[in-house]
Amino acid sequence: MYRYDEFDAQIVRERVEQFRGQVARRLSGELKEDEFKPLRLQNGVYLQLHAYMLRIAVPYGQLNPRQVRRLAKIARDYDRGYGHFTTRQNIQFNWVALKDIPDVLAELAEVELHAIQTSGNCIRNTTSDHYAGATKDEVMDPRPWCEIIRQWSTFHPEFAFLPRKFKIAVTAAEHDRAAIKVHDIGLNMRERNGEVGFEVHVGGGQGRTPHIAAKISDFVPERQLLDYLEAIMRVYNRFGRRDNKYKARIKILVSETGEEEFRKLVEEEFAAQRDAEKIDLPQEEIGRIHAYFSPPELAAKPATSEGFERAKTADPAFARWTRANLHPHKVDGYTTVTVSLKPMGVAAGDANDAQMMVVAHLAETYGYDDIRVSHAQNLVLPHIALDDVYDVYRELDAAGLATPNEGLISDMIVCPGLDYCNLANARSIPVGMAIQEAFSDPDDQADIGKFHINISGCINACGHHHVGHVGILGVDRKGEEYYQITLGGRADEKAAIGKIAGPGLKADDVPAALKRLVDRYRELRTSKDETFIETFEREGMEPFKEVIYAGA
């Protein structure tokens, strides 16, 4: 992973001390909250329902054991003993006192972490495939270019005050695990005649008006990428709405301008760049950054492991976990492990300080110091030898981190909702827990197969309900919470926005409705290998809508 140089370290330290002064002026009353707001947002500090919340950037979702241990220490010393991992591969602390935030940022700076540009109308944390560098289905490792984009976008003077927040995602795999088509800019790395380049998608997003991104270029060579991104950002900065925050995202600009006209504007801006404006990124600098992401030196292993197979035979719970939570590695004898943060009775994405310490220890002992945060609010150990998997499993199990549900119906994306967020209209966490309870049988979950439920507590869609196979949106009706169901969404390479099934349900009715929906899916699927989303796309809305409201 990327390592700070002396300039990186100095910038972050200076930013911490600058914010320390701003916090002191806020606490003394010299700054009012409306004056403090733009300053705190630039440093990842939100004012939530009950307290300030600190959002920490995890660039492209990668952490090392030292960083995770520091996050555990912050959870223990400054919060209530846990942190919340998000769909932007970040971590949030919900209970840090404002007076302590500068000290927290100073501690983060010691391990090369910060909260800069995790909020505000700027380019946010660049996200990527959580299996990057380890998976068989990628054409190359996208993380070096995520880092190059991060360095380009951080403190960029032209793009510090955009019309609205801006998010970029990068993948290099055929199967999109980074949800690039629902980002402001989504990049898919390609190789053409020996040259590396990027397929560019612009104008995706969720929230009040969800859109799937438009593909505006099939191939931008890597040497031109930053110039091309600048062209996109300049078009957005020039034409993006600033008079209406609900129409300020680039998705609205692309939609209202039209895909062809927007592409033309970008190409014209790109062509108009003078030589002095172009970003001279020397090949040696590209090589330097790529070197930080060199794969670990994995010891040669046979493709199969006798110990691994014996353990699966002897321990049925372990065998079930391996079927759900392991992903094929590009190197024989290794696998990638998903550490589920979705056990029964715990808010999705939460990990306590002791659990973080366990994950840090496992990465250090077995996983080549590599830890990832996934788009789906789980953690990942990307490089684990098959010989070591059972030892890893037993430690995870002892820490409450061995739920065998990656990608299954209980592995939900759930926003904090009205339990924490002052924008929310309804609670999300209790609804998610009730659905988990309804589908608590691991064998039942395995029979259902891949099934993505996403829950949001308001139209801002932090729970990505628009792209869940089943999306659940909490709404307020005259002080009572109802939950609108959407079906058919997906965030992968076949990205689609879910369609509303009908009127909202009361919270207590949601689990039973989903039970009926799953039963109908089982009736209609052609085999156990046909997933829910495949069945839905073949059968359409009506047979599922019918059973959702059968109990109404």
Side-chain angles (χ1 to χ4, degrees), residues 319-477:
R320 179 186 294 115
W321 178 82
T322 64
R323 289 193 293 271
N325 288 41
L326 301 188
H327 182 81
H329 198 280
K330 63 171 59 176
V331 177
D332 285 346
Y334 291 83
T335 189
T336 295
V337 173
T338 294
V339 180
S340 173
L341 300 184
K342 316 290 178 59
M344 292 285 295
V346 175
D350 281 4
N352 64 41
D353 59 315
Q355 290 172 327
M356 291 186 218
M357 295 294 283
V358 168
V359 173
H361 162 72
L362 291 173
E364 199 169 58
T365 306
Y366 303 105
Y368 297 87
D369 294 337
D370 199 346
I371 302 157
R372 310 289 175 83
V373 184
S374 82
H375 164 71
Q377 298 177 282
N378 292 315
L379 299 179
V380 172
L381 300 170
H383 312 290
I384 302 294
L386 289 174
D387 292 339
D388 297 327
V389 170
Y390 193 46
D391 289 334
V392 169
Y393 164 78
R394 286 187 293 184
E395 290 198 41
L396 290 174
D397 190 38
L401 293 170
T403 306
N405 67 344
E406 195 275 322
L408 303 182
I409 197 166
S410 65
D411 182 20
M412 291 174 280
I413 292 175
V414 183
C415 81
L418 196 54
D419 288 307
Y420 292 93
C421 181
N422 58 1
L423 299 177
N425 298 314
R427 294 171 299 163
S428 301
I429 294 170
V431 175
M433 290 180 178
I435 294 169
Q436 279 190 322
E437 183 66 33
F439 296 98
S440 58
D441 183 346
D443 291 329
D444 189 39
Q445 291 188 54
D447 180 73
I448 295 166
K450 296 296 182 183
F451 199 112
H452 299 156
I453 298 177
N454 297 351
I455 306 176
S456 298
C458 77
I459 197 63
N460 290 299
C462 294
H464 294 198
H465 66 277
H466 293 297
V467 291
H469 297 165
V470 172
I472 301 175
L473 169 63
V475 297
D476 175 81
R477 283 193 201 155

Side-chain angles (χ1 to χ4, degrees), residues 2 18 20 57 87 90 96 117 154 194 253 309 406 482 497 501:
Y2 180 73
Q18 179 192 57
R20 188 184 298 278
T87 57
N90 294 323
V96 181
Q117 293 185 197
T154 302
L253 177 62
E309 297 300 328
E406 195 275 322
Y482 282 81
I497 302 300

Side-chain angles (χ1 to χ4, degrees), residues 17-294:
E17 293 312 306
Q18 179 192 57
F19 189 57
R20 188 184 298 278
Q22 293 166 350
V23 169
R25 296 203 305 278
R26 173 70 188 104
L27 293 173
S28 72
E30 182 181 344
L31 284 177
K32 304 302 181 188
E33 178 56 37
D34 61 338
E35 298 170 319
F36 181 57
K37 181 178 179 179
L39 303 176
R40 63 172 169 80
L41 287 177
Q42 291 178 357
N43 291 279
V45 181
Y46 285 79
L47 183 56
Q48 294 286 76
L49 194 60
H50 307 293
Y52 285 101
M53 178 268 281
L54 176 64
R55 178 182 294 154
I56 296 160
V58 182
Y60 31 90
Q62 184 164 13
L63 293 163
N64 63 39
R66 183 169 173 244
Q67 291 170 330
V68 173
R69 288 194 175 96
R70 183 57 56 91
L71 294 173
K73 180 180 184 297
I74 288 166
R76 185 171 57 249
D77 293 351
Y78 297 100
D79 203 275
R80 295 185 177 179
Y82 68 95
H84 175 72
F85 290 94
T86 79
T87 57
R88 283 219 68 67
Q89 301 180 308
N90 294 323
I91 183 171
Q92 295 177 177
F93 290 106
N94 290 299
W95 301 102
V96 181
L98 180 60
K99 67 179 180 60
D100 293 330
I101 289 178
D103 291 336
V104 172
L105 295 176
E107 291 206 26
L108 290 169
E110 293 174 354
V111 294
E112 301 182 3
L113 288 172
H114 62 77
I116 297 166
Q117 293 185 197
T118 57
S119 52
N121 293 338
C122 58
I123 298 175
R124 304 279 186 92
N125 188 41
T126 297
T127 55
S128 191
D129 184 352
H130 43 276
Y131 298 152
T135 184
K136 289 182 175 182
D137 66 337
E138 67 182 7
V139 297
M140 63 205 74
D141 188 340
R143 291 173 299 159
W145 279 100
C146 291
E147 174 59 29
I148 289 168
I149 292 168
R150 185 192 72 81
Q151 293 191 23
W152 160 78
S153 63
T154 302
F155 301 132
H156 195 302
E158 276 190 72
F159 310 136
F161 295 98
L162 295 168
R164 224 25 201 101
K165 59 186 177 181
F166 204 94
K167 301 174 181 179
I168 299 174
V170 189
T171 189
E174 288 304 312
H175 179 54
D176 179 11
R177 288 174 289 268
I180 67 168
K181 293 183 181 179
V182 286
H183 278 75
D184 298 290
I185 294 177
L187 302 173
N188 197 341
M189 297 189 72
R190 303 291 191 188
E191 191 168 6
R192 179 186 292 178
N193 300 323
E195 184 177 22
V196 174
F198 298 82
E199 181 183 284
V200 181
H201 301 259
V202 180
Q206 298 185 66
R208 190 173 301 271
T209 49
H211 286 274
I212 299 301
K215 184 170 72 171
I216 68 166
S217 179
D218 288 318
F219 193 83
V220 174
E222 62 177 355
R223 67 183 182 279
Q224 296 178 355
L225 177 66
L226 296 185
D227 291 327
Y228 198 80
L229 294 180
E230 291 236 342
I232 295 169
M233 299 305 299
R234 286 175 175 176
V235 169
Y236 175 47
N237 226 357
R238 191 186 327 154
F239 297 111
R241 296 280 296 271
R242 294 179 184 270
D243 60 327
N244 185 333
K245 71 176 182 178
Y246 301 117
K247 297 185 177 182
R249 296 291 294 271
I250 197 172
K251 63 186 178 181
I252 304 299
L253 177 62
V254 174
S255 176
E256 293 184 348
T257 304
E259 181 179 332
E260 289 303 318
E261 179 62 22
F262 184 84
R263 180 184 294 110
K264 178 183 175 185
L265 289 170
V266 171
E267 293 294 343
E268 288 174 350
E269 181 65 41
F270 180 62
Q273 291 172 348
R274 297 184 297 271
D275 289 344
E277 294 178 274
K278 291 190 178 296
I279 299 169
D280 180 18
L281 188 61
Q283 190 59 47
E284 57 266 28
E285 178 64 9
I286 296 175
R288 183 183 75 88
I289 292 175
H290 273 72
Y292 284 112
F293 297 92
S294 298

Side-chain angles (χ1 to χ4, degrees), residues 4-14 109 112:
Y4 279 15
D5 60 23
E6 65 271 26
F7 302 107
D8 296 312
Q10 181 180 345
I11 287 169
V12 174
R13 284 196 304 267
E14 289 176 352
E112 301 182 3

